[in-house]
Amino acid sequence: MLSSRAILPLSRTTASRATIGPRSVVPFGIRTYAQAAPAVDSKPPVALFGLDGTYASALYTAAAKSSTLDSTAKSLAALSDVFKKDPKLPVILTAPSLTPGDKSQIVQELQRHMGGVDKGDTVKNFLNTLAENNRLGILEGVCEKFSMLMGAYRGEMELTITSAAVRTLSCPDPSRSEETSLTSLKKLDSKVLQRLETAIAKSEYSQGKKLKVVPKINPDILGGLIVEIGDRTIDRAVSSKISRMNKALTDAL
């Protein structure tokens, strides 16, 4: 696994070096990727916004032209998993003191975690482009945005299910000689997700499309669920019910 511990020494050894500011280079200057038979349509299926969206769209176009969309999607999915396992990685990638040598080593480590599925070095070249433009810090966002593009390309509709799903544990507090409650986040059970997916797939909300379930956790909703599909939101969160109740009480006074 690409651990922040493996990269952290780089940021420490380069902390005293001159700060390198990001270049204002747009991704349309991306180097030529491995050439292959052009795809039928290299235009991204949906418009994305933000810098990460711009780079994700450029990568999609390059992958489509080189017929490497599937391998590129698998590579970015693997990188996305790395970010989930190491929350410190985004901080390291945005360190302004990283030297070209540091960035090259980081790219090599990221490549290793793609598991050799990067056909034609499409993602390798893209990572090098991000490194050269001082944009490695947006890689996590690019992975997420590229997943959205692939979902649209495959005719999928994203189904986001947000839950509080908290579990309270108790453990001794040495400093206070008493038990302290800890809150651990836990995703919804796979069976519950499957039931929700099946129910929504049969409803008009799915529009007959294949659903791509994206489970999320947000302790702020306190309980219940928030289901988002397309431009529709089904809010059954406890926090929303409390807000509506508070508003009703305020209006009545």
Side-chain angles (χ1 to χ4, degrees):
M1 183 183 79
L2 178 63
S3 171
S4 57
R5 287 194 288 261
I7 301 177
L8 191 55
L10 295 175
S11 59
R12 289 175 178 169
T13 57
T14 57
S16 60
R17 300 173 188 168
T19 300
I20 304 174
R23 306 178 196 171
S24 57
V25 180
V26 295
F28 299 105
I30 289 176
R31 68 183 66 184
T32 303
Y33 296 114
Q35 297 298 314
V40 176
D41 187 4
S42 60
K43 181 180 179 180
V46 293
L48 298 179
F49 302 96
L51 189 59
D52 51 2
T54 302
Y55 272 84
S57 297
L59 176 58
Y60 180 93
T61 298
K65 288 182 177 179
S66 59
S67 300
T68 59
L69 273 177
D70 287 339
S71 61
T72 298
K74 291 178 182 178
S75 297
L76 291 189
L79 294 181
S80 183
D81 287 340
V82 175
F83 280 102
K84 293 176 182 177
K85 294 176 182 177
D86 191 349
K88 295 181 180 179
L89 184 56
V91 178
I92 295 173
L93 294 183
T94 55
S97 56
L98 292 176
T99 66
D102 298 334
K103 295 172 187 176
S104 177
Q105 185 174 343
I106 290 173
V107 169
Q108 290 177 16
E109 285 291 321
L110 291 172
Q111 278 184 263
R112 185 170 66 84
H113 287 273
M114 290 190 295
V117 297
D118 182 22
K119 180 181 177 182
D121 288 340
T122 302
V123 179
K124 172 187 175 182
N125 292 335
F126 179 75
L127 291 175
N128 283 325
T129 297
L130 289 180
E132 291 171 3
N133 295 340
N134 296 320
R135 298 297 188 189
L136 282 173
I138 68 170
L139 179 57
E140 185 176 15
V142 170
C143 292
E144 181 178 345
K145 294 292 180 66
F146 193 88
S147 177
M148 294 172 60
L149 289 173
M150 289 303 296
Y153 165 73
R154 293 166 178 159
E156 298 173 341
M157 178 173 284
E158 192 169 282
L159 170 62
T160 303
I161 302 175
T162 305
S163 64
V166 296
R167 177 178 53 186
T168 302
L169 306 175
S170 296
C171 68
D173 187 340
S175 63
R176 302 179 62 180
S177 300
E178 61 184 34
E179 287 196 341
T180 302
S181 294
L182 298 177
T183 300
S184 174
L185 300 184
K186 181 182 178 182
K187 290 184 179 180
L188 284 177
D189 183 87
S190 58
K191 293 182 179 179
V192 176
L193 289 174
Q194 187 174 6
R195 288 172 58 190
L196 287 169
E197 180 184 3
T198 300
I200 294 175
K202 294 179 180 179
S203 72
E204 61 179 11
Y205 295 118
S206 68
Q207 300 175 16
K209 295 183 178 180
K210 180 180 178 181
L211 299 179
K212 178 183 178 182
V213 180
V214 181
K216 292 184 178 181
I217 297 175
N218 182 4
D220 292 337
I221 70 174
L222 303 179
L225 295 172
I226 297 178
V227 178
E228 299 170 89
I229 179 170
D231 59 354
R232 295 172 180 257
T233 299
I234 305 172
D235 192 344
R236 294 294 183 270
V238 171
S239 60
S240 298
K241 294 179 180 178
I242 293 176
S243 296
R244 289 193 292 270
M245 184 182 298
N246 288 337
K247 185 178 184 304
L249 290 172
T250 302
D251 293 343
L253 295 177

